[in-house]
Amino acid sequence: MIYAPAIAALLATIGLALVRAFLGPTLFDRALAANAIGTVAMLLLAVLEFLTGRPEYTDLAMVYGLLNVVGTIAVLKFFRLGDLGRESPVDEGER
Amino acid sequence: MRKLSAAVSLFVFWVLLSGYFTPFLLTAGAVCAVAVVAFARRLEVVDPEGHPIDFSGSALRYWPWLGVEIVKSAWDVAKVIVHPRLPISPALVRVPATQKSALGRVVYANSITLTPGTVTIVAGRDEFLVHALTRAGAEGLASGDMDRRVTRFEGARQ
Amino acid sequence: MTPADWISMALLAAGGAFCVVGAVGMLRMPDFYTRMHAASVIETLGAGLVIAGLMVQAGFTLASAKLAILAALIFFASPTATHALAKAAHERGVEPVLGEGGGEGGK
């Protein structure tokens, strides 16, 4: 009962962010939507811990949060360089 | 001193994550904390940037102020979003950064990004390119209040 | 329900409301950079209020400490991801829609 409004709102947020991920129009809009979905999923996992009374969910949320950031940056790097292994070009002289 | 503090904070982190207080797991945690610090020392990341304990005092003064700023600007952005006419006036502004160290500039750039309504796009050596959602947000940043506070935060070490 | 339950329910509902507002903003805003600002409402006030609500529910326990770590993780990591997105879009030449008088100041 305590968690019902929060869970409904978080699920609605994921739904709306999914619409943005489908609409695009640029790659970055989709990556932003994916990042937001990851953050909200993390919150949903944290709420789930208290709903089900199982303390493992916060640990899952933490791992999810870390993967979310690493995943976002990996996607960006991949689309910028077409490769994950190379050193990124030094930005210092560019501007 | 820095190594000791790093090991202690890693051990506390271990205990918080595990939640078990059996002798075996506590010993394992202590061994892991010391081993991680030993590896980190070989990687040369236990320095003022990797484990910035020098800033603990000034962080306690800066974070509450930043928290209040975040809440205020998040409220403003939320009002803009639910406003029927969507009164946005996006602007790109160049903001001077007066911090001396790279760490200070990172703190400033991250503070700008963390505050809803302003995002650092390019972080240069002494100025940032910032995208602001509204003209008011850009002007608030241009007044330099946050810049001065971060410089004070950074300067607390000397 | 105890008073603490009411407080935590109010905080959770408020956090959820800010998340929905942020997501609506992501749909309403005209270009990528402005959508980014909407997403940061989710990551700051939305996440902060939901975690605060759960901490009220957990009380002074280990679960609360873990939630605090979770909050710290969001607050340190999300600006990094947002900045990476903004910089990548800028380098790719995604042009921001600018309001009247919103040109690049000081250039």
Side-chain angles (χ1 to χ4, degrees):
Chain A
M1 195 43 223
I2 305 170
Y3 307 107
I7 286 182
L10 290 176
L11 287 176
T13 307
I14 291 183
L16 291 170
L18 266 180
V19 174
R20 175 45 72 199
F22 276 120
L23 289 178
T26 66
L27 158 75
F28 304 105
D29 290 289
R30 294 179 217 272
L32 181 71
N35 191 28
I37 290 172
T39 307
V40 176
M42 189 170 151
L43 294 176
L44 206 54
L45 280 171
V47 177
L48 221 55
E49 170 189 346
F50 289 84
L51 190 68
T52 58
R54 293 174 58 176
E56 305 90 65
Y57 279 111
T58 335
D59 303 327
L60 295 180
M62 256 179 244
V63 174
Y64 206 96
L66 284 171
L67 284 178
N68 188 23
V69 175
V70 175
T72 304
I73 291 174
V75 165
L76 291 174
K77 199 172 173 188
F78 182 76
F79 278 97
R80 184 162 153 211
L81 305 173
D83 189 336
L84 290 178
R86 252 188 300 157
E87 289 267 308
S88 67
V90 182
D91 300 308
E92 213 41 65
E94 279 179 17
R95 68 184 61 244
Chain B
M1 196 56 214
R2 195 182 299 282
K3 283 162 200 129
L4 183 69
S5 138
V8 169
S9 31
L10 282 172
F11 181 65
V12 170
F13 187 57
W14 168 288
V15 172
L16 286 179
L17 285 188
S18 93
Y20 291 102
F21 294 91
T22 59
F24 170 70
L25 281 172
L26 287 181
T27 317
V31 169
C32 282
V34 170
V36 166
V37 172
F39 293 148
R41 196 180 65 85
R42 282 191 59 111
L43 286 169
E44 293 173 356
V45 292
V46 196
D47 53 10
E49 238 173 73
H51 187 62
I53 44 171
D54 317 298
F55 295 108
S56 316
S58 48
L60 286 181
R61 260 177 295 140
Y62 178 63
W63 282 347
W65 178 82
L66 181 64
V68 172
E69 285 301 298
I70 289 171
V71 172
K72 272 196 291 193
S73 52
W75 179 250
D76 287 343
V77 173
K79 267 197 304 200
V80 167
I81 291 171
V82 295
H83 195 286
R85 281 189 298 109
L86 203 63
I88 56 170
S89 49
L92 276 178
V93 281
R94 289 187 179 272
V95 180
T98 57
Q99 289 75 32
K100 283 185 280 299
S101 64
L103 186 62
R105 287 199 296 278
V106 168
V107 171
Y108 186 34
N110 261 6
S111 304
I112 292 174
T113 309
L114 196 51
T115 319
T118 48
V119 168
T120 314
I121 296 176
V122 180
R125 187 158 286 281
D126 36 42
E127 61 171 16
F128 299 156
L129 182 61
V130 175
H131 185 275
L133 182 61
T134 60
R135 204 69 201 139
E139 274 155 16
L141 205 57
S143 74
D145 192 22
M146 185 183 267
D147 181 44
R148 274 194 299 280
R149 281 173 191 273
V150 178
T151 306
R152 209 184 312 149
F153 169 87
E154 174 202 36
R157 184 162 42 149
Q158 276 90 40
Chain C
M1 295 207 303
T2 62
D5 281 351
W6 282 107
I7 294 171
S8 102
M9 186 172 162
L11 284 171
L12 283 167
F18 274 106
C19 284
V20 173
V21 165
V24 169
M26 277 173 74
L27 287 178
R28 283 191 75 191
M29 292 292 184
D31 77 329
F32 166 71
Y33 295 97
T34 45
R35 279 170 206 146
M36 223 158 47
H37 299 302
S40 67
V41 173
I42 299 180
E43 275 158 7
T44 54
L45 214 48
L49 284 173
V50 168
I51 288 179
L54 291 177
M55 277 168 103
V56 169
Q57 196 59 223
F60 199 73
T61 57
L62 218 55
S64 243
K66 279 191 193 177
L67 287 170
I69 293 175
L70 200 61
L73 178 70
I74 296 179
F75 285 127
F76 281 108
S78 82
T80 313
T82 312
H83 170 67
L85 271 165
K87 192 174 181 199
H90 184 74
E91 280 179 2
R92 218 17 129 62
V94 178
E95 287 295 325
V97 174
L98 295 177
E100 67 282 3
E104 204 165 292
K107 195 185 181 184

PDB file of all heavy atoms in Angstrom, chain C residues 71-103:
ATOM      1  N   ALA C  71      22.512   6.395  -3.161  1.00  0.00           N
ATOM      2  CA  ALA C  71      22.306   7.809  -3.484  1.00  0.00           C
ATOM      3  C   ALA C  71      23.624   8.452  -3.895  1.00  0.00           C
ATOM      4  O   ALA C  71      23.687   9.194  -4.888  1.00  0.00           O
ATOM      5  CB  ALA C  71      21.708   8.537  -2.282  1.00  0.00           C
ATOM      6  N   ALA C  72      24.688   8.155  -3.146  1.00  0.00           N
ATOM      7  CA  ALA C  72      25.996   8.732  -3.472  1.00  0.00           C
ATOM      8  C   ALA C  72      26.424   8.295  -4.866  1.00  0.00           C
ATOM      9  O   ALA C  72      26.948   9.088  -5.652  1.00  0.00           O
ATOM     10  CB  ALA C  72      27.025   8.304  -2.440  1.00  0.00           C
ATOM     11  N   LEU C  73      26.160   7.016  -5.184  1.00  0.00           N
ATOM     12  CA  LEU C  73      26.504   6.501  -6.512  1.00  0.00           C
ATOM     13  C   LEU C  73      25.791   7.293  -7.603  1.00  0.00           C
ATOM     14  O   LEU C  73      26.410   7.730  -8.579  1.00  0.00           O
ATOM     15  CB  LEU C  73      26.118   5.020  -6.581  1.00  0.00           C
ATOM     16  CG  LEU C  73      26.350   4.315  -7.904  1.00  0.00           C
ATOM     17  CD1 LEU C  73      27.841   4.163  -8.126  1.00  0.00           C
ATOM     18  CD2 LEU C  73      25.702   2.955  -7.900  1.00  0.00           C
ATOM     19  N   ILE C  74      24.483   7.524  -7.403  1.00  0.00           N
ATOM     20  CA  ILE C  74      23.736   8.291  -8.407  1.00  0.00           C
ATOM     21  C   ILE C  74      24.309   9.691  -8.530  1.00  0.00           C
ATOM     22  O   ILE C  74      24.546  10.199  -9.621  1.00  0.00           O
ATOM     23  CB  ILE C  74      22.243   8.368  -8.038  1.00  0.00           C
ATOM     24  CG1 ILE C  74      21.618   6.985  -8.059  1.00  0.00           C
ATOM     25  CG2 ILE C  74      21.494   9.266  -9.004  1.00  0.00           C
ATOM     26  CD1 ILE C  74      20.173   6.975  -7.682  1.00  0.00           C
ATOM     27  N   PHE C  75      24.586  10.336  -7.371  1.00  0.00           N
ATOM     28  CA  PHE C  75      25.001  11.735  -7.419  1.00  0.00           C
ATOM     29  C   PHE C  75      26.398  11.904  -7.994  1.00  0.00           C
ATOM     30  O   PHE C  75      26.723  12.959  -8.526  1.00  0.00           O
ATOM     31  CB  PHE C  75      24.908  12.371  -6.036  1.00  0.00           C
ATOM     32  CG  PHE C  75      23.495  12.664  -5.644  1.00  0.00           C
ATOM     33  CD1 PHE C  75      22.977  12.225  -4.458  1.00  0.00           C
ATOM     34  CD2 PHE C  75      22.679  13.364  -6.510  1.00  0.00           C
ATOM     35  CE1 PHE C  75      21.666  12.475  -4.126  1.00  0.00           C
ATOM     36  CE2 PHE C  75      21.370  13.625  -6.186  1.00  0.00           C
ATOM     37  CZ  PHE C  75      20.862  13.180  -4.985  1.00  0.00           C
ATOM     38  N   PHE C  76      27.260  10.878  -7.866  1.00  0.00           N
ATOM     39  CA  PHE C  76      28.591  11.025  -8.451  1.00  0.00           C
ATOM     40  C   PHE C  76      28.614  10.568  -9.900  1.00  0.00           C
ATOM     41  O   PHE C  76      29.350  11.117 -10.711  1.00  0.00           O
ATOM     42  CB  PHE C  76      29.634  10.240  -7.653  1.00  0.00           C
ATOM     43  CG  PHE C  76      30.067  10.946  -6.409  1.00  0.00           C
ATOM     44  CD1 PHE C  76      29.684  10.493  -5.170  1.00  0.00           C
ATOM     45  CD2 PHE C  76      30.842  12.084  -6.489  1.00  0.00           C
ATOM     46  CE1 PHE C  76      30.070  11.163  -4.019  1.00  0.00           C
ATOM     47  CE2 PHE C  76      31.237  12.754  -5.352  1.00  0.00           C
ATOM     48  CZ  PHE C  76      30.850  12.289  -4.111  1.00  0.00           C
ATOM     49  N   ALA C  77      27.820   9.541 -10.235  1.00  0.00           N
ATOM     50  CA  ALA C  77      27.940   8.941 -11.563  1.00  0.00           C
ATOM     51  C   ALA C  77      27.062   9.616 -12.603  1.00  0.00           C
ATOM     52  O   ALA C  77      27.465   9.745 -13.756  1.00  0.00           O
ATOM     53  CB  ALA C  77      27.611   7.449 -11.476  1.00  0.00           C
ATOM     54  N   SER C  78      25.869  10.101 -12.198  1.00  0.00           N
ATOM     55  CA  SER C  78      24.947  10.597 -13.225  1.00  0.00           C
ATOM     56  C   SER C  78      25.456  11.858 -13.936  1.00  0.00           C
ATOM     57  O   SER C  78      25.281  11.977 -15.147  1.00  0.00           O
ATOM     58  CB  SER C  78      23.558  10.801 -12.642  1.00  0.00           C
ATOM     59  OG  SER C  78      23.469  12.025 -11.990  1.00  0.00           O
ATOM     60  N   PRO C  79      26.109  12.828 -13.241  1.00  0.00           N
ATOM     61  CA  PRO C  79      26.627  13.958 -14.017  1.00  0.00           C
ATOM     62  C   PRO C  79      27.695  13.539 -15.019  1.00  0.00           C
ATOM     63  O   PRO C  79      27.781  14.125 -16.100  1.00  0.00           O
ATOM     64  CB  PRO C  79      27.188  14.913 -12.961  1.00  0.00           C
ATOM     65  CG  PRO C  79      27.159  14.221 -11.689  1.00  0.00           C
ATOM     66  CD  PRO C  79      26.287  13.042 -11.802  1.00  0.00           C
ATOM     67  N   THR C  80      28.469  12.508 -14.657  1.00  0.00           N
ATOM     68  CA  THR C  80      29.495  12.037 -15.587  1.00  0.00           C
ATOM     69  C   THR C  80      28.860  11.510 -16.858  1.00  0.00           C
ATOM     70  O   THR C  80      29.277  11.859 -17.975  1.00  0.00           O
ATOM     71  CB  THR C  80      30.323  10.928 -14.917  1.00  0.00           C
ATOM     72  OG1 THR C  80      30.681  11.363 -13.615  1.00  0.00           O
ATOM     73  CG2 THR C  80      31.552  10.619 -15.705  1.00  0.00           C
ATOM     74  N   ALA C  81      27.814  10.683 -16.701  1.00  0.00           N
ATOM     75  CA  ALA C  81      27.142  10.128 -17.874  1.00  0.00           C
ATOM     76  C   ALA C  81      26.477  11.242 -18.686  1.00  0.00           C
ATOM     77  O   ALA C  81      26.569  11.272 -19.915  1.00  0.00           O
ATOM     78  CB  ALA C  81      26.104   9.095 -17.440  1.00  0.00           C
ATOM     79  N   THR C  82      25.827  12.192 -17.976  1.00  0.00           N
ATOM     80  CA  THR C  82      25.161  13.289 -18.683  1.00  0.00           C
ATOM     81  C   THR C  82      26.168  14.118 -19.462  1.00  0.00           C
ATOM     82  O   THR C  82      25.934  14.499 -20.612  1.00  0.00           O
ATOM     83  CB  THR C  82      24.418  14.186 -17.679  1.00  0.00           C
ATOM     84  OG1 THR C  82      23.648  13.367 -16.810  1.00  0.00           O
ATOM     85  CG2 THR C  82      23.513  15.154 -18.378  1.00  0.00           C
ATOM     86  N   HIS C  83      27.308  14.417 -18.814  1.00  0.00           N
ATOM     87  CA  HIS C  83      28.320  15.214 -19.500  1.00  0.00           C
ATOM     88  C   HIS C  83      28.881  14.466 -20.706  1.00  0.00           C
ATOM     89  O   HIS C  83      29.099  15.064 -21.767  1.00  0.00           O
ATOM     90  CB  HIS C  83      29.446  15.570 -18.529  1.00  0.00           C
ATOM     91  CG  HIS C  83      30.631  16.184 -19.178  1.00  0.00           C
ATOM     92  ND1 HIS C  83      30.580  17.427 -19.753  1.00  0.00           N
ATOM     93  CD2 HIS C  83      31.885  15.727 -19.395  1.00  0.00           C
ATOM     94  CE1 HIS C  83      31.762  17.706 -20.276  1.00  0.00           C
ATOM     95  NE2 HIS C  83      32.566  16.690 -20.079  1.00  0.00           N
ATOM     96  N   ALA C  84      29.077  13.142 -20.545  1.00  0.00           N
ATOM     97  CA  ALA C  84      29.585  12.355 -21.675  1.00  0.00           C
ATOM     98  C   ALA C  84      28.616  12.437 -22.848  1.00  0.00           C
ATOM     99  O   ALA C  84      29.021  12.629 -24.000  1.00  0.00           O
ATOM    100  CB  ALA C  84      29.802  10.908 -21.247  1.00  0.00           C
ATOM    101  N   LEU C  85      27.299  12.318 -22.541  1.00  0.00           N
ATOM    102  CA  LEU C  85      26.284  12.411 -23.591  1.00  0.00           C
ATOM    103  C   LEU C  85      26.315  13.784 -24.260  1.00  0.00           C
ATOM    104  O   LEU C  85      26.322  13.892 -25.494  1.00  0.00           O
ATOM    105  CB  LEU C  85      24.901  12.204 -22.982  1.00  0.00           C
ATOM    106  CG  LEU C  85      24.378  10.793 -22.884  1.00  0.00           C
ATOM    107  CD1 LEU C  85      23.202  10.745 -21.955  1.00  0.00           C
ATOM    108  CD2 LEU C  85      23.971  10.310 -24.264  1.00  0.00           C
ATOM    109  N   ALA C  86      26.369  14.838 -23.424  1.00  0.00           N
ATOM    110  CA  ALA C  86      26.322  16.203 -23.967  1.00  0.00           C
ATOM    111  C   ALA C  86      27.528  16.453 -24.852  1.00  0.00           C
ATOM    112  O   ALA C  86      27.420  17.004 -25.952  1.00  0.00           O
ATOM    113  CB  ALA C  86      26.289  17.207 -22.816  1.00  0.00           C
ATOM    114  N   LYS C  87      28.697  16.026 -24.371  1.00  0.00           N
ATOM    115  CA  LYS C  87      29.913  16.292 -25.129  1.00  0.00           C
ATOM    116  C   LYS C  87      29.911  15.512 -26.442  1.00  0.00           C
ATOM    117  O   LYS C  87      30.282  16.043 -27.496  1.00  0.00           O
ATOM    118  CB  LYS C  87      31.130  15.921 -24.287  1.00  0.00           C
ATOM    119  CG  LYS C  87      32.376  16.448 -24.903  1.00  0.00           C
ATOM    120  CD  LYS C  87      33.582  16.248 -24.045  1.00  0.00           C
ATOM    121  CE  LYS C  87      34.764  16.836 -24.775  1.00  0.00           C
ATOM    122  NZ  LYS C  87      36.021  16.317 -24.259  1.00  0.00           N
ATOM    123  N   ALA C  88      29.459  14.247 -26.376  1.00  0.00           N
ATOM    124  CA  ALA C  88      29.425  13.436 -27.591  1.00  0.00           C
ATOM    125  C   ALA C  88      28.484  14.057 -28.616  1.00  0.00           C
ATOM    126  O   ALA C  88      28.807  14.156 -29.803  1.00  0.00           O
ATOM    127  CB  ALA C  88      28.994  12.015 -27.253  1.00  0.00           C
ATOM    128  N   ALA C  89      27.306  14.519 -28.139  1.00  0.00           N
ATOM    129  CA  ALA C  89      26.355  15.132 -29.063  1.00  0.00           C
ATOM    130  C   ALA C  89      26.930  16.407 -29.658  1.00  0.00           C
ATOM    131  O   ALA C  89      26.783  16.690 -30.847  1.00  0.00           O
ATOM    132  CB  ALA C  89      25.049  15.437 -28.324  1.00  0.00           C
ATOM    133  N   HIS C  90      27.615  17.193 -28.816  1.00  0.00           N
ATOM    134  CA  HIS C  90      28.207  18.449 -29.285  1.00  0.00           C
ATOM    135  C   HIS C  90      29.265  18.183 -30.344  1.00  0.00           C
ATOM    136  O   HIS C  90      29.333  18.857 -31.374  1.00  0.00           O
ATOM    137  CB  HIS C  90      28.815  19.186 -28.090  1.00  0.00           C
ATOM    138  CG  HIS C  90      29.375  20.520 -28.423  1.00  0.00           C
ATOM    139  ND1 HIS C  90      28.565  21.604 -28.684  1.00  0.00           N
ATOM    140  CD2 HIS C  90      30.648  20.953 -28.548  1.00  0.00           C
ATOM    141  CE1 HIS C  90      29.327  22.643 -28.943  1.00  0.00           C
ATOM    142  NE2 HIS C  90      30.596  22.283 -28.876  1.00  0.00           N
ATOM    143  N   GLU C  91      30.087  17.159 -30.109  1.00  0.00           N
ATOM    144  CA  GLU C  91      31.152  16.858 -31.077  1.00  0.00           C
ATOM    145  C   GLU C  91      30.602  16.285 -32.363  1.00  0.00           C
ATOM    146  O   GLU C  91      31.206  16.435 -33.419  1.00  0.00           O
ATOM    147  CB  GLU C  91      32.164  15.890 -30.452  1.00  0.00           C
ATOM    148  CG  GLU C  91      33.115  16.636 -29.559  1.00  0.00           C
ATOM    149  CD  GLU C  91      34.112  15.735 -28.897  1.00  0.00           C
ATOM    150  OE1 GLU C  91      34.074  14.520 -29.173  1.00  0.00           O
ATOM    151  OE2 GLU C  91      34.906  16.246 -28.101  1.00  0.00           O
ATOM    152  N   ARG C  92      29.456  15.610 -32.263  1.00  0.00           N
ATOM    153  CA  ARG C  92      28.817  15.067 -33.446  1.00  0.00           C
ATOM    154  C   ARG C  92      28.105  16.170 -34.227  1.00  0.00           C
ATOM    155  O   ARG C  92      27.571  15.956 -35.293  1.00  0.00           O
ATOM    156  CB  ARG C  92      27.827  14.019 -32.978  1.00  0.00           C
ATOM    157  CG  ARG C  92      27.605  12.744 -33.734  1.00  0.00           C
ATOM    158  CD  ARG C  92      28.609  12.333 -34.726  1.00  0.00           C
ATOM    159  NE  ARG C  92      29.062  10.975 -34.554  1.00  0.00           N
ATOM    160  CZ  ARG C  92      28.308   9.891 -34.647  1.00  0.00           C
ATOM    161  NH1 ARG C  92      27.040   9.997 -34.892  1.00  0.00           N
ATOM    162  NH2 ARG C  92      28.832   8.711 -34.500  1.00  0.00           N
ATOM    163  N   GLY C  93      28.054  17.383 -33.665  1.00  0.00           N
ATOM    164  CA  GLY C  93      27.439  18.499 -34.372  1.00  0.00           C
ATOM    165  C   GLY C  93      25.939  18.572 -34.219  1.00  0.00           C
ATOM    166  O   GLY C  93      25.258  19.116 -35.084  1.00  0.00           O
ATOM    167  N   VAL C  94      25.375  18.013 -33.124  1.00  0.00           N
ATOM    168  CA  VAL C  94      23.947  18.198 -32.869  1.00  0.00           C
ATOM    169  C   VAL C  94      23.750  19.637 -32.424  1.00  0.00           C
ATOM    170  O   VAL C  94      24.325  20.074 -31.437  1.00  0.00           O
ATOM    171  CB  VAL C  94      23.456  17.231 -31.764  1.00  0.00           C
ATOM    172  CG1 VAL C  94      21.991  17.471 -31.470  1.00  0.00           C
ATOM    173  CG2 VAL C  94      23.686  15.791 -32.179  1.00  0.00           C
ATOM    174  N   GLU C  95      22.961  20.395 -33.207  1.00  0.00           N
ATOM    175  CA  GLU C  95      22.815  21.819 -32.912  1.00  0.00           C
ATOM    176  C   GLU C  95      21.701  22.055 -31.913  1.00  0.00           C
ATOM    177  O   GLU C  95      20.592  21.547 -32.093  1.00  0.00           O
ATOM    178  CB  GLU C  95      22.508  22.596 -34.198  1.00  0.00           C
ATOM    179  CG  GLU C  95      23.693  22.740 -35.120  1.00  0.00           C
ATOM    180  CD  GLU C  95      24.815  23.577 -34.509  1.00  0.00           C
ATOM    181  OE1 GLU C  95      24.502  24.535 -33.764  1.00  0.00           O
ATOM    182  OE2 GLU C  95      25.997  23.264 -34.773  1.00  0.00           O
ATOM    183  N   PRO C  96      21.967  22.815 -30.848  1.00  0.00           N
ATOM    184  CA  PRO C  96      20.890  23.124 -29.905  1.00  0.00           C
ATOM    185  C   PRO C  96      19.928  24.153 -30.481  1.00  0.00           C
ATOM    186  O   PRO C  96      20.332  25.039 -31.242  1.00  0.00           O
ATOM    187  CB  PRO C  96      21.634  23.699 -28.689  1.00  0.00           C
ATOM    188  CG  PRO C  96      22.917  24.195 -29.221  1.00  0.00           C
ATOM    189  CD  PRO C  96      23.258  23.361 -30.411  1.00  0.00           C
ATOM    190  N   VAL C  97      18.646  23.998 -30.148  1.00  0.00           N
ATOM    191  CA  VAL C  97      17.655  25.027 -30.464  1.00  0.00           C
ATOM    192  C   VAL C  97      17.841  26.136 -29.445  1.00  0.00           C
ATOM    193  O   VAL C  97      17.873  25.880 -28.243  1.00  0.00           O
ATOM    194  CB  VAL C  97      16.222  24.456 -30.353  1.00  0.00           C
ATOM    195  CG1 VAL C  97      15.196  25.550 -30.546  1.00  0.00           C
ATOM    196  CG2 VAL C  97      16.016  23.343 -31.346  1.00  0.00           C
ATOM    197  N   LEU C  98      18.032  27.361 -29.902  1.00  0.00           N
ATOM    198  CA  LEU C  98      18.277  28.439 -28.956  1.00  0.00           C
ATOM    199  C   LEU C  98      17.100  29.387 -28.910  1.00  0.00           C
ATOM    200  O   LEU C  98      16.459  29.649 -29.929  1.00  0.00           O
ATOM    201  CB  LEU C  98      19.541  29.211 -29.336  1.00  0.00           C
ATOM    202  CG  LEU C  98      20.838  28.404 -29.255  1.00  0.00           C
ATOM    203  CD1 LEU C  98      22.003  29.252 -29.721  1.00  0.00           C
ATOM    204  CD2 LEU C  98      21.085  27.900 -27.850  1.00  0.00           C
ATOM    205  N   GLY C  99      16.813  29.896 -27.714  1.00  0.00           N
ATOM    206  CA  GLY C  99      15.753  30.874 -27.541  1.00  0.00           C
ATOM    207  C   GLY C  99      16.216  32.232 -28.026  1.00  0.00           C
ATOM    208  O   GLY C  99      17.356  32.407 -28.440  1.00  0.00           O
ATOM    209  N   GLU C 100      15.306  33.231 -27.963  1.00  0.00           N
ATOM    210  CA  GLU C 100      15.675  34.568 -28.425  1.00  0.00           C
ATOM    211  C   GLU C 100      16.766  35.119 -27.504  1.00  0.00           C
ATOM    212  O   GLU C 100      16.706  35.000 -26.287  1.00  0.00           O
ATOM    213  CB  GLU C 100      14.457  35.510 -28.462  1.00  0.00           C
ATOM    214  CG  GLU C 100      13.838  35.885 -27.129  1.00  0.00           C
ATOM    215  CD  GLU C 100      12.960  34.761 -26.583  1.00  0.00           C
ATOM    216  OE1 GLU C 100      12.889  33.687 -27.220  1.00  0.00           O
ATOM    217  OE2 GLU C 100      12.364  34.950 -25.533  1.00  0.00           O
ATOM    218  N   GLY C 101      17.810  35.682 -28.138  1.00  0.00           N
ATOM    219  CA  GLY C 101      18.914  36.232 -27.355  1.00  0.00           C
ATOM    220  C   GLY C 101      19.736  35.165 -26.668  1.00  0.00           C
ATOM    221  O   GLY C 101      20.449  35.441 -25.734  1.00  0.00           O
ATOM    222  N   GLY C 102      19.626  33.909 -27.145  1.00  0.00           N
ATOM    223  CA  GLY C 102      20.339  32.825 -26.464  1.00  0.00           C
ATOM    224  C   GLY C 102      21.618  32.427 -27.144  1.00  0.00           C
ATOM    225  O   GLY C 102      22.076  31.315 -26.963  1.00  0.00           O
ATOM    226  N   GLY C 103      22.194  33.312 -27.950  1.00  0.00           N
ATOM    227  CA  GLY C 103      23.433  32.982 -28.662  1.00  0.00           C
ATOM    228  C   GLY C 103      24.567  32.705 -27.706  1.00  0.00           C
ATOM    229  O   GLY C 103      24.451  32.877 -26.497  1.00  0.00           O
TER     230      GLY C 103
END
